[in-house]
Amino acid sequence: MYMKEEKTIKTMFDRIVLRYDLLNHLLSFGQDIIWRKKMAEEAVNNFNSRFKVQGSKIVLDLATGTADSAIAILKKRVKVVGVDISYEMLKAGNKKIKNKFENCLFYPIVASGYQLPFKNNSFDAVTCAFGIRNMHETKLALAEIYRILKNGGRIVILEFSLPENIFRKPYLFYLKKIIPAIASLFSVRSAYEYLGSSIERFYKPRDFVRLLEDSGFKNPKAIPLSYGCVYIYIGEKF
Ligand SMILES: C[S@@+](CC[C@H](N)C(=O)[O-])C[C@H]1O[C@@H](n2cnc3c(N)ncnc32)[C@H](O)[C@@H]1O
């Protein structure tokens, strides 16, 4: 069942790859760069003392896409494995990384978040920027992440949310009316209609924190960014 839905999502990302980065920066007013930087800091800098020897640490960036999230982590001088189901997104990301860094340890792999091709206890941290919302079998994806994290490792997820404050109404208007209109100028309207509806359908922050807890993660927490339009979720494996 999830394989069919995964294929639809993969096809959608394969199609929008050429406009993805530009629209990301445009539609978020450049905030996406700051959000990913914060995610990378939470995954690497704010980690426990084991992370001080940075060169030897390895991070899985799940749903790495065109690699802007992987780039934010690579800047912290750690090894990054980038996994995505879309070959086209990954290819564009890999090219961008090769142009940007002379020597970096980035390993792109086409794979599904539901079936990660790694042994148990392999990674010091797992990040996922704007990807978990696309994995509708969220419990399955979280169980996979838990399995491949080392003991003492940390999950750091960046995801959109609907603010529960005065920004909610204008944000919904922006999401449901303005973004699809702008996206249609780039011939990718349906993908950005999906963006709005998937954000509406996604877990409320408190429910996602509970899900992290139910999936075995310790000390789960949610940190709001940009007035609650985006959240960073963190959990640890002990
Ligand atoms: C919105 S993009 C995020 C890309 C990147 N992390 C960023 O920060 O820009 C979501 C990515 O998730 C990938 N994706 C969706 N479902 C997936 C799954 N089940 N397994 C792996 N990747 C998936 C898509 O192919 C797409 O590249």
Side-chain angles (χ1 to χ4, degrees):
M1 160 68 181
Y2 68 77
M3 302 225 321
K4 190 172 164 226
E5 163 214 291
E6 208 180 23
K7 196 157 178 267
T8 310
I9 290 174
K10 174 200 170 305
T11 308
M12 181 183 81
F13 280 102
D14 279 347
R15 271 195 55 231
I16 65 169
V17 61
L18 293 177
R19 291 94 161 177
Y20 178 80
D21 285 353
L22 173 67
L23 278 170
N24 254 356
H25 304 325
L26 189 74
L27 299 175
S28 74
F29 307 103
Q31 291 297 298
D32 61 316
I33 297 166
I34 298 166
W35 298 331
R36 289 192 197 87
K37 195 169 167 216
K38 283 198 169 20
M39 177 191 77
E41 277 162 12
E42 288 295 344
V44 178
N45 291 3
N46 298 341
F47 209 53
N48 63 31
S49 56
R50 294 199 313 123
F51 238 76
K52 281 188 181 143
V53 195
Q54 292 195 343
S56 62
K57 297 298 170 186
I58 181 154
V59 176
L60 169 67
D61 187 42
L62 179 57
T64 201
T66 54
D68 279 354
S69 42
I71 287 169
I73 305 158
L74 282 166
K75 285 183 179 163
K76 306 283 177 193
R77 290 181 293 117
V78 293
K79 285 179 218 157
V80 178
V81 175
V83 161
D84 204 285
I85 37 160
S86 162
Y87 171 74
E88 296 300 330
M89 293 284 278
L90 209 49
K91 190 170 81 174
N94 195 34
K95 192 170 163 202
K96 205 194 299 178
I97 286 180
K98 292 285 165 318
N99 289 338
K100 207 173 174 74
F101 298 95
E102 270 196 6
N103 287 315
C104 74
L105 298 169
F106 178 68
Y107 308 94
I109 296 177
V110 177
S112 160
Y114 299 129
Q115 258 183 318
L116 294 169
F118 310 112
K119 290 188 185 146
N120 296 352
N121 311 313
S122 298
F123 292 90
D124 296 287
V126 176
T127 53
C128 184
F130 311 116
I132 199 79
R133 180 174 30 85
N134 300 305
M135 297 177 210
H136 301 170
E137 298 291 330
T138 321
K139 281 185 189 162
L140 195 57
L142 290 177
E144 266 300 82
I145 294 173
Y146 189 86
R147 180 183 70 75
I148 53 107
L149 260 181
K150 289 180 189 169
N151 279 332
R154 161 179 268 221
I155 181 176
V156 183
I157 287 181
L158 187 63
E159 195 47 85
F160 290 113
S161 186
L162 288 182
E164 291 181 351
N165 51 35
I166 51 161
F167 291 105
R168 189 182 179 91
K169 267 197 174 169
Y171 182 66
L172 269 171
F173 182 75
Y174 180 64
L175 208 57
K176 302 200 74 163
K177 302 281 182 216
I178 312 275
I179 288 185
I182 296 174
S184 64
L185 300 175
F186 294 82
S187 317
V188 287
R189 186 180 179 103
S190 63
Y192 284 81
E193 278 171 347
Y194 163 79
L195 171 75
S197 58
S198 65
I199 294 173
E200 275 192 292
R201 268 200 314 267
F202 192 63
Y203 294 87
K204 289 199 170 86
R206 59 178 168 278
D207 295 335
F208 195 72
V209 168
R210 199 169 308 128
L211 189 61
L212 283 175
E213 196 163 28
D214 293 346
S215 305
F217 292 99
K218 303 286 182 259
N219 306 320
K221 62 178 173 178
I223 304 169
L225 303 176
S226 301
Y227 307 100
C229 295
V230 170
Y231 271 79
I232 291 184
Y233 299 97
I234 301 172
E236 286 160 350
K237 176 175 172 182
F238 289 116

